[in-house]
Amino acid sequence: MKDWPYTVFPTGWYQVGYSSELQPGDVRPAKYFDQHLVMFRTENGEVSLLDAYCQHLGAHLGYGGTVKGECLECPFHGWLWQADGELAEIPYAPGERRRVKIARWVTREVDGLILVWYDAFGREPFWEWPGIPEFADVEHNYPIVHDHVGIRKIIPQSPVENTPDYYHFMWVHGAGQPGKPLLWKEDQHYLHTRVGFWYGHGKKATWMTPNGPVFGEIETEAWGLGLSNARFVLDSFITNQLTAATPVDTEHSQLFETITVNRQPDGGPEPTGRAARMIEFQKGQIRRDFAIWENQRYVEHPPFAGGEEEHYARFRRWSRQFYSDKPYNASTEIAAAS
């Protein structure tokens, strides 16, 4: 983003794929955080994300590398690398050993998502992502929908910075009125908010509100800047939409959208009717935001109006922790800003 003030990628968990789309034996080249990587799943099901290049003569293991049991075989000379990056075998010199290793990135699989931990200062994970309860609850929710948005000129902070922006809903998303803040809670890396809306405001009936306007909420949870979930609540009709923005380089991120709707009484095994329409509607709505973020410049000291500065200022103080190696202390941040 033009005029962006930070020089490091923010600390946190980031999505790099979906579990169902990486089967045993699959190998994928990848690029995240300006690093060339290789992702694979061993025959026994373990996911590994390694730096891309073989330590022997530098072949990229993501292009032609193959899984052999619990190892990844280099396409150039067949050197075998374990999932942890250790050298397992030199096939044409089986008795020889070399003190070389490929760096392994910390990964997790949670609720159908494959995640990687990133920290510019080399720290190990100091929190875990708890997942989205509805993603795992297939009894009461439809299976998650994978929306591969692709690589866009967007930084990870932009989707989460939507959280305190209660006014943009009228212009970007066609809402009849701005949102009403109901909750703002910070707990170190975790941000939890609730915003109230009259869905269908000013209209007798819409496909979303067939019985007239409904006062509902958008409950947002963010864990760092890489993963944020919006829970749209209209009475008993609940939609979850997780936005994941993973840096590819300093200007671009790979965007994933994961959506589910709670099962409707008159529905079958797959979403139909209002549930299916809500999924497609949310896919379209987030792309309206993308069009803004891709062409936006960063204004460090905005001329806020209408009281919007209160939560924007809170958010930006909270977000600073992910670009720093200093422990976050909310009271210190607030005192320093006052």
Side-chain angles (χ1 to χ4, degrees):
M1 182 184 291
K2 182 176 174 58
D3 298 331
W4 184 242
Y6 299 110
T7 58
V8 298
F9 298 115
T11 292
W13 289 102
Y14 294 89
Q15 185 177 358
V16 292
Y18 290 100
S19 296
S20 63
E21 295 178 350
L22 189 74
Q23 297 298 309
D26 286 348
V27 180
R28 303 275 189 272
K31 182 185 178 185
Y32 296 110
F33 312 103
D34 254 341
Q35 302 289 320
H36 291 278
L37 309 170
V38 58
M39 181 165 59
F40 63 99
R41 191 185 292 277
T42 70
E43 291 183 3
N44 282 340
E46 182 178 1
V47 170
S48 179
L49 185 68
L50 304 178
D51 283 355
Y53 299 107
C54 180
Q55 291 290 307
H56 176 216
L57 284 172
H60 194 305
L61 298 170
Y63 295 96
T66 55
V67 170
K68 296 294 179 67
E70 299 307 290
C71 295
L72 181 61
E73 182 184 73
C74 176
F76 202 4
H77 295 88
W79 286 36
L80 290 170
W81 300 94
Q82 296 175 171
D84 62 3
E86 294 282 354
L87 178 62
E89 183 182 345
I90 304 171
Y92 52 86
E96 298 186 21
R97 295 290 180 265
R98 295 292 181 267
R99 298 181 64 181
V100 290
K101 183 178 180 178
I102 300 174
R104 183 181 189 177
W105 294 59
V106 178
T107 58
R108 300 281 191 270
E109 291 191 81
V110 184
D111 290 345
L113 279 62
I114 303 174
L115 309 176
V116 65
W117 172 261
Y118 178 84
D119 181 67
F121 309 98
R123 296 169 294 185
E124 292 295 310
F126 44 91
W127 82 79
E128 296 292 332
W129 185 57
I132 308 299
E134 291 88 343
F135 287 1
D137 183 7
V138 294
E139 179 182 355
H140 299 101
N141 297 271
Y142 295 110
I144 59 175
V145 174
H146 305 173
D147 187 10
H148 292 277
V149 180
I151 296 174
R152 308 288 286 265
K153 193 176 181 181
I154 293 171
I155 59 172
Q157 183 159 321
S158 292
V160 193
E161 190 157 312
N162 244 12
T163 302
D165 192 348
Y166 310 127
Y167 289 102
H168 87 286
F169 292 99
M170 299 176 67
W171 282 269
V172 179
H173 302 298
Q177 57 181 188
K180 178 182 179 181
L182 303 174
L183 172 71
W184 185 281
K185 182 180 179 181
E186 301 169 26
D187 184 6
Q188 297 183 327
H189 65 275
Y190 175 66
L191 178 63
H192 183 198
T193 70
R194 290 168 44 221
V195 182
F197 285 94
W198 277 101
Y199 290 91
H201 175 74
K203 300 176 182 179
K204 290 184 177 181
T206 69
W207 67 266
M208 193 184 298
T209 56
N211 298 317
V214 175
F215 188 79
E217 295 184 8
I218 301 178
E219 178 189 22
T220 300
E221 296 178 280
W223 301 264
L225 300 176
L227 299 164
S228 61
N229 185 63
R231 184 175 286 110
F232 302 86
V233 182
L234 288 79
D235 292 332
S236 60
F237 184 56
I238 301 172
T239 304
N240 281 269
Q241 182 176 26
L242 180 79
T243 300
T246 306
V248 173
D249 54 37
T250 55
E251 292 189 331
H252 302 84
S253 297
Q254 184 167 2
L255 276 295
F256 301 88
E257 291 288 325
T258 308
I259 309 174
T260 189
V261 179
N262 65 323
R263 292 187 182 274
Q264 300 302 293
D266 56 348
E270 299 296 328
T272 58
R274 188 165 68 143
R277 189 164 181 177
M278 186 64 167
I279 291 171
E280 293 306 311
F281 177 75
Q282 289 306 131
K283 287 182 182 181
Q285 289 296 312
I286 195 69
R287 282 163 172 77
R288 295 186 179 187
D289 291 300
F290 294 160
I292 302 291
W293 301 333
E294 284 188 295
N295 299 285
Q296 185 180 10
R297 66 178 281 263
Y298 186 77
V299 180
E300 190 162 4
H301 301 289
F304 290 121
E308 62 186 347
E309 66 275 7
E310 177 186 358
H311 292 106
Y312 253 108
R314 284 185 179 184
F315 173 82
R316 289 192 171 180
R317 286 194 296 268
W318 175 80
S319 69
R320 290 176 193 155
Q321 65 179 301
F322 304 109
Y323 303 95
S324 170
D325 62 347
K326 297 178 181 178
Y328 176 61
N329 186 311
S331 59
T332 301
E333 290 282 345
I334 293 171
S338 59

